[in-house]
Amino acid sequence: MTKTFAWVATAPHTPLERRELQIDEPHTDEVRVRMVASGVCHTDAIVRDQWYPTPLPAVLGHEGAGVVEAVGASVTNVAPGDHVLLSFSSCGLCDLCQRGKPAYCRDFFGRNFGGRRGDGSSSYVGDEGVVSSHFFGQSSFAELANVPARCLVKVPESAPLEMLAPLGCGIQTGTGAVLNRLDPEAGSSIAIFGAGAVGDSAILGAVIAGCSTIIAVDVIPERLKLARELGATHTVNSREVDTLEAIHGITGGLGVQYAVDTTGIPSVFRVMTDALSTLGHGVLVGAAALGVEATIDIGSRLPVGITVSTVVEGDSVPASFIPLLIEMYQQGRFPFDRLIRQYPLDEINQAFADSEAGTTLKPVVVF
Ligand code: NAD
């Protein structure tokens, strides 16, 4: 056991607490990472609030970036001193992992939300007992974390870890939903519902794909302004106008060929499906609490042959998709850094609050 510290979620709707913990030794397939930075994602907030049943107390955080300190006996992909980004966990063995779909790993929920390793152990123990670890395989709101080697993406030492941290979840989710799942052809139309960190990443993906009509929908004027700067050709404030009418107005009454709902709000999902043109494809990315239902007008939607799908982590294979995003960032074609605001680690609860208030798009806490 080694002494460390972490910011721990203790109860729903309650600020994280800084606690001294003990961390166990990395298992044979794990890597001990010393964290340098971590993004804060909406998913951390909804798990703190127990939309998903990760046992509390828990070390959350799943957009980690850091330096490898030690490796387990069977680890071959990284060595001590390597700089790494952390992404979601998958088993690598099930049929879906074997088919190159790790975001749909048969054990995705257990590995990412279970708060324990597969053998039932947790890395962390505090004065009051066991604290959940391995959130998305990593629990990056800790100084030290034991992370399955499959979660790691090695990056050059010159790469700015404080900037790249959010690529491991929110950014790859939005961009991947567009590039990997929708794969829109150049000149096509797309609507992105919600211009937060995930929605803006989807806009950047739409620009890369060459969509000629990119409609950003949100309720916060400043977010719509930034969406336009990132490449949205049209913006719709759904508090001020009827969104469906606005989209039909922009698209000559046809609707959009592609759409992404990053809000997870049933009424927004309904508008997304109504806004799809014939043979259109819309994806749901935004999370909702277990049991939340949304409607779809099967009467009017049947004859137009639409596709509606759900996407996890942008269908990404992190080891190949994240380096691609870094390359496009370095080329100036993927300016995701415009979404980021950095906070010292001890302001982590302010980072959560600013994200919730809509004043910060993508907080990154720096250790
Ligand atoms: P965010 O809060 O920054 O963005 C959501 C945006 O939706 C905000 O800008 C908000 O103003 C806007 N919004 C709210 N109500 C609206 C309405 N009625 N119409 C239009 N826009 C509205 O959150 P984020 O970090 O961008 O994450 C988005 C969602 O994606 C979250 O639910 C998160 O949990 C989820 N997520 C899913 C995956 C996945 O694998 N599917 C991965 C990461 C995040």
Side-chain angles (χ1 to χ4, degrees), residues 102-178:
Y104 306 93
C105 170
R106 298 279 177 196
D107 192 24
F108 189 90
F109 203 85
R111 285 177 168 265
N112 291 282
F113 295 100
R116 301 286 186 274
R117 297 183 176 97
D119 66 3
S121 65
S122 166
S123 279
Y124 301 117
V125 63
D127 289 344
E128 287 147 43
V130 173
V131 175
S132 290
S133 65
H134 289 79
F135 183 60
F136 278 77
Q138 51 184 281
S139 291
S140 58
F141 295 154
E143 175 200 33
L144 297 174
N146 293 331
V147 184
R150 272 180 65 78
C151 298
L152 306 182
V153 179
K154 190 174 155 181
V155 295
E157 268 185 42
S158 57
L161 291 175
E162 303 82 358
M163 197 59 75
L164 301 182
L167 289 178
C169 179
I171 309 291
Q172 74 174 353
T173 290
T175 310
V178 173

Side-chain angles (χ1 to χ4, degrees), residues 208-271:
I208 289 165
C211 295
S212 55
T213 301
I214 303 173
I215 305 169
V217 182
D218 206 291
V219 292
I220 302 177
E222 297 74 33
R223 292 204 163 190
L224 291 172
K225 183 168 173 283
L226 179 63
R228 208 175 255 278
E229 289 170 19
L230 295 174
T233 57
H234 302 77
T235 56
V236 175
N237 186 329
S238 57
R239 272 212 186 114
E240 292 175 352
V241 298
D242 182 293
T243 310
L244 190 57
E245 264 180 32
I247 290 174
H248 279 147
I250 294 163
T251 55
L254 290 176
V256 280
Q257 290 164 275
Y258 300 97
V260 182
D261 175 14
T262 74
T263 72
I265 298 171
S267 58
V268 175
F269 175 81
R270 171 61 190 265
V271 173

Side-chain angles (χ1 to χ4, degrees), residues 223-350:
R223 292 204 163 190
L224 291 172
K225 183 168 173 283
L226 179 63
R228 208 175 255 278
E229 289 170 19
L230 295 174
T233 57
H234 302 77
T235 56
V236 175
N237 186 329
S238 57
R239 272 212 186 114
E240 292 175 352
V241 298
D242 182 293
T243 310
L244 190 57
E245 264 180 32
I247 290 174
H248 279 147
I250 294 163
T251 55
L254 290 176
V256 280
Q257 290 164 275
Y258 300 97
V260 182
D261 175 14
T262 74
T263 72
I265 298 171
S267 58
V268 175
F269 175 81
R270 171 61 190 265
V271 173
M272 179 187 80
T273 59
D274 286 339
L276 290 173
S277 63
T278 302
L279 294 179
H281 185 177
V283 296
L284 171 68
V285 170
L290 303 182
V292 170
E293 296 181 356
T295 62
I296 178 167
D297 175 359
I298 57 174
S300 79
R301 303 288 74 199
L302 169 73
V304 293
I306 60 166
T307 303
V308 176
S309 55
T310 62
V311 179
V312 177
E313 296 290 338
D315 284 356
S316 168
V317 177
S320 56
F321 193 54
I322 289 178
L324 182 70
L325 296 179
I326 294 173
E327 196 181 335
M328 290 193 293
Y329 166 64
Q330 287 168 334
Q331 292 169 346
R333 298 167 64 208
F334 187 62
F336 76 97
D337 53 326
R338 296 204 52 197
L339 314 182
I340 291 175
R341 180 172 162 201
Q342 293 177 353
Y343 294 76
L345 180 60
D346 59 7
E347 289 178 17
I348 190 168
N349 287 308
Q350 190 61 49

